[in-house]
Amino acid sequence: GEDVEQSLFLSVREGDSSVINCTYTDSSSTYLYWYKQEPGAGLQLLTYIFSNMDMKQDQRLTVLLNKKDKHLSLRIADTQTGDSAIYFCAVPLSSASKIIFGSGTRLSIRP
Amino acid sequence: GAVVSQHPSWVICKSGTSVKIECRSLDFQATTMFWYRQFPKQSLMLMATSNEGSKATYEQGVEKDKFLINHASLTLSTLTVTSAHPEDSSFYICSASVASGRMGPYNEQFFGPGTRLTVL
């Protein structure tokens, strides 16, 4: 079945860039998601990228997609304390309406 | 738009009792709702997919008789944890999707805020 993997933790200094990486196995997904979960809350869609794109930029967020390596990354520029959260990479299954989530990366910001 | 609510936001119950969690799409009709369980180490596990008016599809390893799912209307799905035990303590999150089976951003899942269940 589909497997989505992420590292569990990332710590960055305030003002630096954060890069969260994700690898997946289902290459037929037409798009891929990044979700953000703040403490004690549900998930919010942060951004998504179509599989025919290599890059998508939205203000401080940059998503890079390497389809050959099945690698997705999320870069947050000028990381702020409000960016502290768990970030989930998510891949819809092409065969169903389900979304498969990675384990989530907990981003912590240090002063 | 696209707001999903859950009730209650947290619940504490005694072992052996049943607990019902509601998931509502407030401003749209959800043809499909999903129930997830989030473990303390962050991972989100899909428990079941439910379509309005039909039986839920459970993921492998999820007990149908323990986790009863009802999707009686296009705006409401319920998850009932029957005969709850301490190991059922977890964060339960629902999501709702407008279109089932379509690929594209239009079948995006909108998530509820989650329900923290603690079984004593």
Side-chain angles (χ1 to χ4, degrees):
Chain A
E2 174 66 76
D3 190 26
V4 180
E5 294 192 354
Q6 301 176 240
S7 55
L8 291 181
F9 300 100
L10 177 66
S11 175
V12 299
R13 189 172 299 178
E14 188 175 3
D16 288 352
S17 293
S18 306
V19 179
I20 302 170
N21 294 301
C22 169
T23 58
Y24 59 96
T25 56
D26 185 351
S27 61
S28 59
S29 302
T30 56
Y31 57 100
L32 301 98
Y33 293 125
W34 282 104
Y35 280 88
K36 177 182 180 181
Q37 183 183 31
E38 295 184 350
L43 278 69
Q44 288 185 308
L45 181 64
L46 194 60
T47 186
Y48 64 88
I49 186 169
F50 285 103
S51 60
N52 61 0
M53 298 170 66
D54 298 324
M55 184 182 82
K56 178 180 179 181
Q57 188 153 1
D58 182 5
Q59 299 181 328
R60 293 191 297 120
L61 304 178
T62 303
V63 180
L64 295 177
L65 175 60
N66 182 327
K67 283 196 72 176
K68 177 175 173 291
D69 295 339
K70 299 179 186 175
H71 182 268
L72 183 72
S73 68
L74 173 70
R75 179 176 179 270
I76 305 173
D78 187 25
T79 309
Q80 303 297 310
T81 54
D83 296 324
S84 294
I86 301 173
Y87 292 83
F88 290 91
C89 171
V91 179
L93 280 185
S94 55
S95 59
S97 58
K98 296 193 294 188
I99 295 178
I100 305 301
F101 287 85
S103 58
T105 300
R106 184 180 293 274
L107 176 63
S108 63
I109 317 301
R110 56 183 192 273
Chain B
V3 178
V4 176
S5 70
Q6 279 184 243
H7 178 80
S9 54
W10 60 270
V11 57
I12 301 173
C13 70
K14 292 181 180 179
S15 186
T17 61
S18 294
V19 174
K20 180 185 283 188
I21 302 170
E22 292 186 349
C23 177
R24 292 181 185 273
S25 55
L26 298 184
D27 51 4
F28 67 101
Q29 293 186 326
T31 52
T32 306
M33 287 187 168
F34 303 84
W35 285 96
Y36 294 86
R37 180 174 177 177
Q38 187 170 29
F39 295 97
K41 292 186 176 180
Q42 308 171 176
S43 61
L44 208 65
M45 183 193 82
L46 177 64
M47 299 175 67
T49 303
S50 75
N51 292 296
E52 182 264 341
S54 61
K55 289 184 179 180
T57 302
Y58 289 80
E59 295 299 302
Q60 194 171 8
V62 178
E63 297 176 60
K64 300 179 183 180
D65 296 331
K66 180 159 188 65
F67 299 99
L68 302 178
I69 291 172
N70 182 276
H71 192 165
S73 77
L74 286 172
T75 60
L76 173 64
S77 176
T78 60
L79 167 68
T80 301
V81 183
T82 62
S83 187
H85 287 94
E87 57 265 29
D88 299 324
S89 298
S90 193
F91 194 55
Y92 292 88
I93 303 176
C94 75
S95 70
S97 177
V98 173
S100 174
R102 288 176 53 192
M103 300 311 298
Y106 303 104
N107 69 340
E108 171 189 348
Q109 290 185 26
F110 301 95
F111 284 81
T115 297
R116 172 77 57 193
L117 170 63
T118 301
V119 184
L120 302 177

